[in-house]
Amino acid sequence: RLANLRAGDLDMLERLAATDAASVRGDADLSIAQATSLGYQGITINVANGERANSPIGQDARVRKALSVAIDRDVINQVVFEGAFAAGNQAYPPTSPWYNAAYPVPTRDVNAARALLAEAGYPDGIDITVQVANNPVQQQLMQVIQAMAGEAGIRITLEAKEFATLLSEQTAGNFIGSQVGWSGRVDPDGNIHQFMTTDGGLNDSGYSNAEVDRLLNEARTSNDIATRRALYTQASDILMADLPIIYLYHQVWIWALDSGIQGFVPYPDGMIRLQGVSMTQ
């Protein structure tokens, strides 16, 4: 697609690969636009969805926290995405008004991860299996995480699967960990309610907490921003301790454009809106 843009066969392309961003910035005939997405990528942990939830990481939040603090999200961004994406640890990006600032993206702490494993009764570490989509970007992501986690005593075996199969296995509970993401929604409810409430439509982890249910159900019935923000903050206080999903990063939508295009505005939902856009030859 980038070659076609440079050849003049295209005027714009969406979702430029992060690894191509530097090349586009160095091309006087092209311009670049970007916006941090509304969604996220993370590792969903099976905590109560069938027999495979009976694993150390599924049954003990301390083990899940150990994996989280063993990961250097900034290094992932640099190594896999050449610094183009945004590190994250919540259902919303740090640029969102719904982000809980009391929990900034954690720094990596291997010693803390090992201490958490020992506290949970696993001083010699654990072995887990994580399924991942069989595309090169997500596999590279999980290989970096595999190396980081291994240094903390969390030995990860990766299972590469076709994406539709991965989703099917998640729904069926046939997984321990699953590297998967969500495209995101403008309203915060769309990023969290169906994933975290008991019997939520996309709650593949099987997570259930009555107080989280109450808070998220109440938040979706209010149209007062301050009220909703307080409720989501209270819910995230619980979820940051329980960690049914270990959030990793937020994709940045990147557009590459012919330099003759003027007035294009990038939006966090990734949609192309051409109102006000013009082009000079």
Side-chain angles (χ1 to χ4, degrees):
R1 292 184 305 147
L2 181 54
N4 287 338
L5 178 66
R6 285 192 162 118
D9 296 329
L10 299 174
D11 301 314
M12 174 194 299
L13 67 85
E14 63 170 351
R15 305 192 184 186
L16 178 75
T19 50
D20 288 329
S23 172
V24 171
R25 287 191 178 94
D27 191 328
D29 294 326
L30 302 177
S31 64
I32 197 166
Q34 60 187 57
T36 302
S37 75
L38 300 168
Y40 60 81
Q41 288 285 330
I43 301 174
T44 296
I45 305 297
N46 188 344
V47 301
N49 185 1
E51 293 182 0
R52 296 200 72 185
N54 295 317
S55 68
I57 198 166
Q59 296 305 301
D60 198 317
R62 291 171 295 185
V63 178
R64 297 193 288 277
K65 185 175 181 180
L67 176 56
S68 181
V69 299
I71 296 170
D72 191 322
R73 291 159 172 82
D74 290 324
V75 166
I76 287 173
N77 186 29
Q78 293 299 324
V79 171
V80 183
F81 305 112
E82 297 192 5
F85 286 1
N89 65 324
Q90 298 177 35
Y92 325 107
T95 53
S96 169
W98 308 104
Y99 187 83
N100 188 344
Y103 300 96
V105 175
T107 56
R108 187 184 190 218
D109 191 333
V110 174
N111 290 332
R114 288 188 173 277
L116 283 163
L117 289 176
E119 181 183 326
Y122 304 101
D124 297 324
I126 63 166
D127 296 278
I128 64 171
T129 300
V130 176
Q131 61 175 9
V132 58
N134 61 350
N135 71 68
V137 174
Q138 304 314 121
Q139 288 186 12
Q140 183 186 10
L141 165 70
M142 281 309 306
Q143 287 165 0
V144 172
I145 290 174
Q146 183 183 44
M148 291 177 175
E151 292 178 3
I154 302 171
R155 297 173 291 273
I156 298 177
T157 298
L158 299 178
E159 289 184 347
K161 297 179 180 179
E162 192 274 328
F163 189 61
T165 300
L166 179 145
L167 294 180
S168 177
E169 298 281 52
Q170 266 191 208
T171 302
N174 188 25
F175 74 102
I176 293 175
S178 182
Q179 196 288 297
V180 72
W182 178 244
S183 57
R185 299 295 182 268
V186 173
D187 190 279
D189 180 85
N191 273 27
I192 194 168
H193 189 279
Q194 57 195 333
F195 298 95
M196 296 300 181
T197 53
T198 304
D199 299 324
L202 294 173
N203 185 1
D204 292 335
S205 69
Y207 177 74
S208 179
N209 183 297
E211 181 63 5
V212 170
D213 289 352
R214 183 190 71 80
L215 292 165
L216 296 184
N217 285 331
E218 186 175 342
R220 67 175 6 193
T221 63
S222 173
N223 60 6
D224 181 79
I225 292 177
T227 297
R228 298 188 78 198
R229 184 179 291 115
L231 291 166
Y232 286 124
T233 296
Q234 292 176 62
S236 72
D237 288 342
I238 299 170
L239 293 169
M240 291 300 290
D242 291 349
L243 290 177
I245 296 178
I246 298 171
Y247 300 99
L248 300 171
Y249 67 91
H250 305 276
Q251 188 170 355
V252 172
W253 304 131
I254 309 174
W255 292 264
L257 308 90
D258 183 284
S259 59
I261 293 180
Q262 305 296 322
F264 176 73
V265 177
Y267 285 85
D269 63 4
M271 301 298 288
I272 293 176
R273 294 170 175 85
L274 296 178
Q275 182 176 8
V277 174
S278 62
M279 182 173 180
T280 58
Q281 298 292 337

